[in-house]
Amino acid sequence: MTSLSSHARLGEAASPDSTGAVLDTGLSALSASHLRACAALLLLCLVCFLPGFVSLQPMDRDEPRFAQASKQMLETGDLVDIRFQGEARHKKPVGIYWAQAASVAAGEALGVEDARTRIALYRIPSLLGATGAVLLTYWAALAFLERRYALLAAALFGACLMLSAEARLAKTDALLCACAVASFGAFARAWLWRAPGRTPLPEPVVLAFWLGMALGILVKGPMVPLFVGLPALVLSVRERSWRWLLALRPLPGLFLVLVVVAPWFLAIAWKTAGAFFSEAVGHDMLAKVGGASEKHFAPPGAYLLVFFATFWPGAAFAALSARFAWAQRRTETVAFLLAWIVPAWILFECVPTKLPHYVLPLMPAVAILTVIALRNGALDPSRRGARAVTLLVPFIPLGLTAGLAYACWTFDHTLPWAGLTLLAAASVLAILAVVTFARGLPERALAIAILASMLLSPAVFGLTQPALAALKVSPRLAAIRDGLPCRDPRVASLGYREPSLVFLIGTELAMLNSGAEATAFLKQGGCRLVFVEDRFLPEFETASGGTPGPVGRVSGFNINGGRRIALNAYAVTP
């Protein structure tokens, strides 16, 4: 492997900056062995992913849907079918539900109180998936880079905002990303191993490829095969041969995949008489391909636009590496990374339904490509417009500082001073990264930007988010239920139908459609509680005659609907 360009080395040596010297020394020390590098990456993951892991409320709507379905598996003992209350949830395979159910069962075995309504337990597979994705990015990068730069690439991916968000959400995407990167790390070695006369790929590498594929199928169906299949096609066309893929031993590999995935797919096909496949493929997948599923439409180019936020703090540096990538597109290393990124990115841009996390499994390749450009001296501040591009680095922490302060004051008439202090520190580091880059020290600038992200995550999720009480509508409604003088009341909701309330209240939560239904519900005897959204309040008061009076009121902001909301709680207790 080549070293940094002489320009970068001279710039580094000429700098009297003690902070930069500490960063250089620290990076060298941390990359002295694989054990140190992995320990450093684990520490980065803990700092970036853990703050707010417990205090963040169930985030509507996808997260509590997954968690509630996993909870119902534990309640019913049915580990094959997937249901949300009485509705079949035939959208994704069973992998994430098994992982979440196992995590909660372990919590119960360890004595965690009310484990089934602790959303943090359902998030543990995502935390492990995100951490695994970072460590696997390091392993994948070692196929192309020396240990120092592989560590830097994995840290750049671990620090990105999208992975930080997905690590805290009980959904499929962090775990899917880990599966995809495992397959890509092995796939890269097959690509670089294809010279005639090479010894066969080591068995652990081949096993990593097919296990990543199999587990990825159980988590999110065809996505990992899609992510791997597109570059396999592109690279085979480039080589005018597909024989290099034989290094991955496809026949025993496919047999392993079938052994892992076939039992559940056969069981769900039998149990639902094929309805799972018609719903998952015919409705969920094709609806996203053919139209804007669940109002998530965005035009082509949307992923590229939001990339500067989702891949922060590395997005500006990635943009600066684009010219290098184009110039080196015929080299083996860059050709592989571009095949990993470009075909899938174009496909997702063309699909009408867009969500930012869809391109998450492509971001490790972006991080590796960015660091390869850095190592080869391509992140040059003397290039026209390069310094202006890096001004995007402080834009995110400065914008979050202003936006979160405004939100806290508008919704709750308070300011999270501790969070704002750490946000200010992250902003200062981001500005320092720009200044350091302008001085001709791109590696140090990248390291400082990663440190800024390590401050931003605790600031936003750990210190500021808990202060935003207005966003925690469902937890505050559940607290009213818990404060009633009777145990296990029957609960219903009129107007407010978010899955987070189902998860926190329980599977038997009734969803009502009118004030008359709410009045009838309260009259059915026993301990009962109903939540009535303000827009239904006049008809409820008319139907009930003003009796009983409210036992509580919750007002706040519904993130999913993007609107203010207020509810009264009415109870009848024996």
Side-chain angles (χ1 to χ4, degrees), residues 255-299:
F255 178 75
L256 174 63
V257 171
L258 284 174
V259 168
V260 173
V261 307
W264 179 79
F265 279 101
L266 291 173
I268 193 66
W270 175 80
K271 185 156 192 174
T272 65
F276 173 85
F277 297 100
S278 61
E279 176 67 23
V281 178
H283 294 159
D284 186 55
M285 183 185 299
L286 294 182
K288 292 176 180 177
V289 173
S293 175
E294 298 181 4
K295 301 180 181 179
H296 293 307
F297 170 79

Side-chain angles (χ1 to χ4, degrees), residues 57-58 60 470-480 496 498-502 504-505 531 554 567:
Q57 72 271 19
D60 285 307
L471 303 185
K472 303 178 185 298
V473 175
S474 291
R476 290 158 64 200
L477 291 172
I480 294 175
Y496 183 70
E498 296 301 337
S500 58
L501 189 63
V502 179
L504 292 172
I505 294 295
F531 303 118
V554 169
L567 301 99

